[in-house]
Amino acid sequence: MEVRHLPRSCPPEQKADPSEQVLNALGEENLSVTDNVHTGWNGWEGGYPEIVKENKLFEHYYQELKIVPEGEWDQFMEALREPLPATLRITGYKSHAKEILHCLKNKYFKELEDLEVDGQKVEVPQPLSWYPEELAWHTNLSRKILRKSPQLEKFHQFLVSETESGNISRQEAVSMIPPLLLNAHPHHKILDMCAAPGSKTTQLIEMLHADMNVPFPEGFVIANDVDNKRCYLLVHQAKRLSSPCIMVVNHDASSIPRLMIDVNGKKEVLFYDRILCDVPCSGDGTMRKNIDVWKKWTTLNSLQLHGLQLRIATRGAEQLVEGGRMVYSTCSLNPIEDEAVIASLLEKSEGALELADVSSELPGLKWMPGLTQWKVMTKDGQWFAEWDEVPHSRHTQIRPTMFPPKDPEKLQAMHLERCLRILPHHQNTGGFFVAVLVKKSSMPWNKRPPKLQGESAKPRDPVQSSPAGPTGETAVGPSELERKLDTGIGDAEIIQRTEDLENNGNKKDGVCGPPPSKKMKLFGFKEDPFVFIPEDDPLFPPIQKFYALDPSFPRMNLLTRTTEGKKRQLYMVSKELRNVLLNNSERMKVINTGIKVWCRNSSGEEFDCAFRLAQEGIYTLYPFINSRIITVSLEDVKILLTQENPFLRKLSSETYIQAKDLAKGSVVLKYEPDPTKPDTLQCPIVLCGWRGKASMRTFVPKNERLHYLRMMGLEVLAEKRKEGTAVTDESAATSGPLEDDEVSADQRAEQAASPDATSTGSDSAEGATVPR
């Protein structure tokens, strides 16, 4: 009887979960967190069919605003009431992504053809027509159907396992659009302002590494989120791609600090080439997935969020370089959160910003042009066509920036029709809004142009000390906003102040720690410092000699997370991120950066080198290593990944000859594809191994291990049964690679991509511990 009194829009167990409510309130990307963490490949099927998917105020509002073409309203509402199809994106870098695609199309999808479950023909997944290279697919298969036949169960296991290892991402189709329109290149400095949970961030990282032969692209991604806990989910997502060019920071996006970099010995302001501004929103475009919206929808959410959205977009525009591109997006259909924010930003910019025409950039994508006229409605249904009509009592809730510009010429010059609104019934997706802005000149409130090609940002030091909450309850009117902006000071003065502050401080060379508590209250976990290895540090020469590192190896980019005691892990960042870290320790709260490249052996002093290679950073490190490389065959890789400690004699004669004279210790195991055998694995594999007294082993996390086996055509479930002790033991030994959200800052990040924190059997070196 009690169940009847629960909200009909969610299952009983969700009733008292405030974290879910917060996530649901924050919009599409945020909603996908609950999908990934809790429901996986589950849909809404079978749960609460009695839910009434109706909201008269919602229908009245959007019919009045005419966001849907005439004659399509019924299809629009019908699509909103249908469950959202599951969409997946193949992640990772080019050659590996192509192998996964090949495996999907030629093995798993083929098995679905002509397959019937309960008399119904199974619908084979289809590629998204507008996503490049067939790397994104959608399917109406529910979890219930996936489990009904052995063939589908294999496909289901594939999806689950590859999602866990980060090779496939469950990402809503419309969420993939903003990174594509950002048009990022490997040399671009990119800021992702509201990044958690990170599916868009991973797309950006992939764009940086478009050329896998370049271990350190010139560009980088700084991924920010206001929520400290969600920053660790962001770390977890980013770690899967093992890039030295990603940094996760924790700030309020509307007052994200201006960063400095060293350019030829002088401090200069960092301006970004690309900025992704995927702001918190009311999320009414997510009704197909977030059923709560049907019951809770009101215009009040949009009215409350508009001010925050405008502040975030303004802050992004300030930090964009001249000629740079910023993408503003929401999963809301409401013009108050969409066109109104863009129009207000364009009006304030006085020609510094303009909307780009991206109509031809994603062929195959269907979209509606942005609105040029709209009205504002209160939560009780009262309409206002312009600011002058709003009574004084409503001025705190409704602001002039929410209305379209009055001047027809000014409105026409904005080209608001260049905005893109994605409607659910056009391509069976969620609802979405995206606008692409290009910066033509400095923002008008700067006193003078900076020395960098870019614009000067407004001073926000007083605001930075207390990050605001994610909801932005009070909208800031133009008068208050402009008062803040007009106090802008030139970059030269800011640079001088920064240098004076740092010169007077007691900052240690090569150390980037958390900001002092007086400048910023630290929420959540207090992070360990980032300490770069000094040039004269005695730990490096033995490493350099043991692995015969190339003279071009950028040793200055090596860092640890401790200022005292033995250095247990060595990490690596790109030189550009090193520059950012060293010049911003006073103003930036860094959650995580760098990939692990070496780990100390527990008995390292017994060997010529105390540090062994870490799988997480091997693809970055490999180009600089000139010794201890063993070329292995595909059969060798299978043996090494399915057996715990195979004797050297079990491996091919070519591999045995290379390994027999090597001293004990860490080795690189390299598989090179044979282009003359197109049916075999066609992407290179680099694994970390350990050459023992008479055996060889690999140090590879469980999910990565299963991924490689699957790519080689081995049925993983069968392998587990056959090899029992080998793969199962390995699974137990490496059970921790994906749990990075609970422990200390660095451990959380490490566990996301490597087994080191939890593994004894798999990841401790033979010779350092007693082998089985």
Side-chain angles (χ1 to χ4, degrees):
M1 294 293 289
E2 286 178 277
V3 177
R4 292 178 189 169
H5 301 288
L6 293 173
R8 299 174 72 200
S9 54
C10 59
E13 65 270 21
Q14 290 183 356
K15 183 193 175 198
D17 188 353
S19 65
E20 291 290 312
Q21 293 164 16
V22 171
L23 295 178
N24 290 344
L26 287 176
E28 180 276 323
E29 264 295 59
N30 304 288
L31 291 165
S32 67
V33 181
T34 51
D35 253 4
N36 290 334
V37 177
H38 299 296
T39 61
W41 287 91
N42 199 0
W44 285 101
E45 76 285 338
Y48 284 74
E50 78 280 4
I51 291 169
V52 179
K53 295 180 180 177
E54 278 186 18
N55 186 309
K56 293 299 179 192
L57 197 62
F58 172 88
E59 294 195 42
H60 170 63
Y61 182 71
Y62 283 121
Q63 279 181 314
E64 185 73 21
L65 291 178
K66 297 181 170 57
I67 68 160
V68 178
E70 206 166 324
E72 294 184 21
W73 182 260
D74 290 344
Q75 297 102 293
F76 169 73
M77 290 304 298
E78 196 177 314
L80 280 178
R81 292 185 178 106
E82 287 296 314
L84 192 67
T87 46
L88 61 94
R89 186 173 64 80
I90 298 167
T91 60
Y93 306 138
K94 278 191 174 175
S95 61
H96 285 250
K98 282 179 180 172
E99 282 300 311
I100 296 167
L101 177 61
H102 182 266
C103 184
L104 264 175
K105 286 171 71 174
N106 294 291
K107 179 174 167 59
Y108 294 98
F109 291 169
K110 268 207 163 75
E111 289 177 358
L112 301 182
E113 290 173 9
D114 304 318
L115 188 68
E116 288 190 4
V117 178
D118 289 349
Q120 275 194 319
K121 192 174 184 301
V122 169
E123 187 182 316
V124 178
Q126 296 297 316
L128 296 177
S129 60
W130 45 267
Y131 200 94
E133 300 182 54
E134 289 192 333
L135 291 177
W137 295 70
H138 66 101
T139 172
N140 286 321
L141 289 171
S142 69
R143 189 178 180 185
K144 188 177 172 185
I145 294 172
L146 280 170
R147 289 178 163 176
K148 283 224 171 180
S149 76
Q151 296 98 317
L152 286 177
E153 193 199 347
K154 286 178 197 171
F155 179 47
H156 183 238
Q157 287 298 324
F158 170 83
L159 293 177
V160 170
S161 179
E162 292 296 316
T163 301
E164 282 177 3
S165 59
N167 296 307
I168 282 177
S169 174
R170 170 98 187 260
Q171 183 178 353
E172 191 169 339
V174 289
S175 161
M176 304 173 194
I177 296 169
L180 293 177
L181 290 177
L182 209 56
N183 192 24
H185 295 284
H187 63 280
H188 283 152
K189 299 172 180 68
I190 306 168
L191 172 64
D192 189 348
M193 298 187 79
C194 310
S199 52
K200 295 183 184 75
T201 310
T202 57
Q203 273 179 278
L204 297 173
I205 298 169
E206 288 163 28
M207 291 172 186
L208 284 184
H209 292 274
D211 185 350
M212 282 187 70
N213 296 316
V214 179
F216 293 102
E218 286 179 40
F220 55 76
V221 176
I222 293 180
N224 173 70
D225 203 84
V226 67
D227 188 307
N228 182 268
K229 287 180 182 174
R230 287 167 59 73
C231 280
Y232 295 103
L233 186 57
L234 186 52
V235 170
H236 169 70
Q237 290 274 58
K239 278 280 172 184
R240 292 167 170 179
L241 288 173
S242 300
S243 169
C245 307
I246 168 75
M247 179 188 291
V248 176
V249 298
N250 180 203
H251 291 279
D252 172 11
S254 66
S255 57
I256 192 165
R258 176 201 315 274
L259 300 184
M260 311 299 293
I261 50 173
D262 186 293
V263 180
N264 299 322
K266 289 196 76 174
K267 290 281 180 74
E268 295 193 357
V269 180
L270 169 62
F271 293 99
Y272 299 94
D273 302 293
R274 296 287 186 269
I275 295 180
L276 179 55
C277 189
D278 184 52
V279 294
C281 66
S282 62
D284 62 13
T286 70
M287 283 177 143
R288 302 179 67 176
K289 179 169 65 173
N290 180 30
I291 299 181
D292 261 5
V293 176
W294 284 99
K295 182 180 178 184
K296 296 178 179 177
W297 187 90
T298 163
T299 56
L300 188 60
N301 297 334
S302 296
L303 298 176
Q304 289 178 335
L305 284 164
H306 170 87
L308 175 67
Q309 291 162 338
L310 181 54
R311 290 196 301 276
I312 292 173
T314 302
R315 190 58 175 157
E318 288 171 346
Q319 302 216 6
L320 191 63
V321 76
E322 282 185 35
R325 181 179 273 212
M326 180 171 92
V327 171
Y328 174 89
S329 61
T330 76
C331 49
S332 168
L333 299 170
N334 199 325
I336 306 304
E337 302 177 66
D338 299 341
E339 287 92 345
V341 173
I342 296 298
S344 178
L345 185 59
L346 289 171
E347 191 166 15
K348 283 194 305 181
S349 80
E350 297 176 10
L353 298 172
E354 70 174 39
L355 276 169
D357 181 357
V358 293
S359 56
S360 61
E361 292 192 18
L362 289 180
L365 179 68
K366 293 179 183 174
W367 48 274
M368 294 300 297
L371 302 178
T372 54
Q373 290 297 327
W374 61 89
K375 297 183 288 184
V376 177
M377 188 178 86
T378 62
K379 66 174 181 178
D380 48 10
Q382 188 179 0
W383 288 96
F384 299 105
E386 53 185 58
W387 169 247
D388 296 342
E389 298 175 4
V390 182
H392 196 267
S393 60
R394 297 273 193 185
H395 280 193
T396 53
Q397 186 186 82
I398 297 174
R399 302 302 303 159
T401 52
M402 297 176 181
F403 295 89
K406 277 186 178 179
D407 184 340
E409 285 185 20
K410 191 183 280 186
L411 181 62
Q412 190 176 359
M414 286 182 178
H415 292 293
L416 291 177
E417 72 280 356
R418 291 179 178 175
C419 299
L420 278 58
R421 180 176 272 100
I422 317 294
L423 297 179
H425 65 293
H426 283 165
Q427 286 180 304
N428 200 10
T429 64
F432 207 69
F433 174 87
V434 61
V436 181
L437 294 152
V438 174
K439 189 167 185 179
K440 310 304 284 186
S441 61
S442 299
M443 302 301 271
W445 49 83
N446 298 319
K447 282 192 173 178
R448 60 187 126 170
K451 290 172 187 176
L452 265 188
Q453 188 192 24
E455 48 75 43
S456 166
K458 63 178 183 268
R460 295 296 283 260
D461 292 340
V463 191
Q464 286 168 16
S465 57
S466 55
T471 52
E473 279 132 19
T474 309
V476 176
S479 55
E480 184 184 343
L481 206 55
E482 283 154 19
R483 197 163 57 247
K484 288 180 182 177
L485 301 179
D486 288 338
T487 58
I489 55 177
D491 284 312
E493 189 178 338
I494 293 167
I495 292 166
Q496 190 58 52
R497 284 186 190 181
T498 306
E499 286 178 339
D500 292 345
L501 177 74
E502 291 181 354
N503 291 339
N504 293 335
N506 298 315
K507 189 169 174 287
K508 292 181 187 175
D509 286 342
V511 179
C512 175
S517 55
K518 285 182 185 175
K519 288 209 70 169
M520 183 184 298
K521 186 178 178 185
L522 292 177
F523 297 94
F525 302 98
K526 186 172 180 178
E527 306 306 337
D528 295 323
F530 296 84
V531 187
F532 285 92
I533 307 291
E535 274 197 76
D536 57 354
D537 195 311
L539 74 72
F540 186 70
I543 295 175
Q544 188 168 27
K545 183 181 175 186
F546 190 71
Y547 297 103
L549 294 178
D550 194 86
S552 65
F553 177 74
R555 59 176 294 183
M556 294 290 285
N557 301 350
L558 281 175
L559 58 87
T560 64
R561 299 298 303 272
T562 177
T563 50
E564 298 167 2
K566 268 190 177 181
K567 299 173 179 71
R568 302 205 62 80
Q569 322 276 357
L570 299 184
Y571 302 86
M572 198 145 197
V573 292
S574 65
K575 74 174 193 290
E576 289 78 13
L577 276 188
R578 179 183 190 273
N579 193 342
V580 173
L581 272 171
L582 289 178
N583 288 292
N584 297 282
S585 62
E586 297 298 310
R587 60 179 71 80
M588 186 171 64
K589 185 183 176 190
V590 181
I591 298 296
N592 199 277
T593 191
I595 48 168
K596 182 163 53 179
V597 286
W598 279 293
C599 314
R600 185 182 287 275
N601 298 318
S602 48
S603 304
E605 286 70 18
E606 293 178 20
F607 309 102
D608 294 337
C609 178
F611 287 86
R612 64 172 178 78
L613 300 162
Q615 183 67 27
E616 178 185 328
I618 193 61
Y619 284 95
T620 297
L621 208 53
Y622 172 73
F624 300 100
I625 297 174
N626 289 314
S627 77
R628 305 193 64 79
I629 298 171
I630 300 173
T631 304
V632 292
S633 68
L634 206 55
E635 282 306 310
D636 291 332
V637 175
K638 288 178 185 177
I639 291 168
L640 289 162
L641 292 180
T642 55
Q643 297 184 25
E644 183 70 23
N645 255 325
F647 287 110
L648 291 175
R649 287 285 184 192
K650 276 194 171 185
L651 304 175
S652 66
S653 56
E654 293 84 357
T655 299
Y656 175 77
I657 290 165
Q658 294 173 77
K660 69 182 177 66
D661 295 326
L662 279 182
K664 283 201 294 183
S666 194
V667 292
V668 177
L669 302 163
K670 175 74 186 286
Y671 161 74
E672 281 288 0
D674 184 347
T676 64
K677 297 178 182 175
D679 291 339
T680 61
L681 188 65
Q682 287 299 300
C683 66
I685 296 178
V686 184
L687 305 174
C688 291
W690 184 268
R691 198 297 195 196
K693 191 174 180 181
S695 63
M696 185 84 71
R697 75 183 308 165
T698 54
F699 293 141
V700 182
K702 170 193 164 189
N703 286 318
E704 202 170 331
R705 180 177 295 252
L706 297 182
H707 162 70
Y708 287 132
L709 289 171
R710 198 177 285 112
M711 293 304 101
M712 289 185 285
L714 269 71
E715 187 51 65
V716 177
L717 294 175
E719 280 299 318
K720 272 192 174 182
R721 291 185 203 103
K722 272 189 260 179
E723 293 292 342
T725 54
V727 178
T728 308
D729 282 358
E730 191 54 44
S731 305
T734 59
S735 59
L738 290 173
E739 297 167 9
D740 60 72
D741 297 331
E742 300 296 333
V743 211
S744 77
D746 200 45
Q747 286 171 325
R748 281 188 297 280
E750 286 167 22
Q751 288 174 357
S754 83
D756 297 282
T758 53
S759 166
T760 307
S762 161
D763 207 40
S764 52
E766 184 183 336
T769 59
V770 180
R772 297 177 188 177

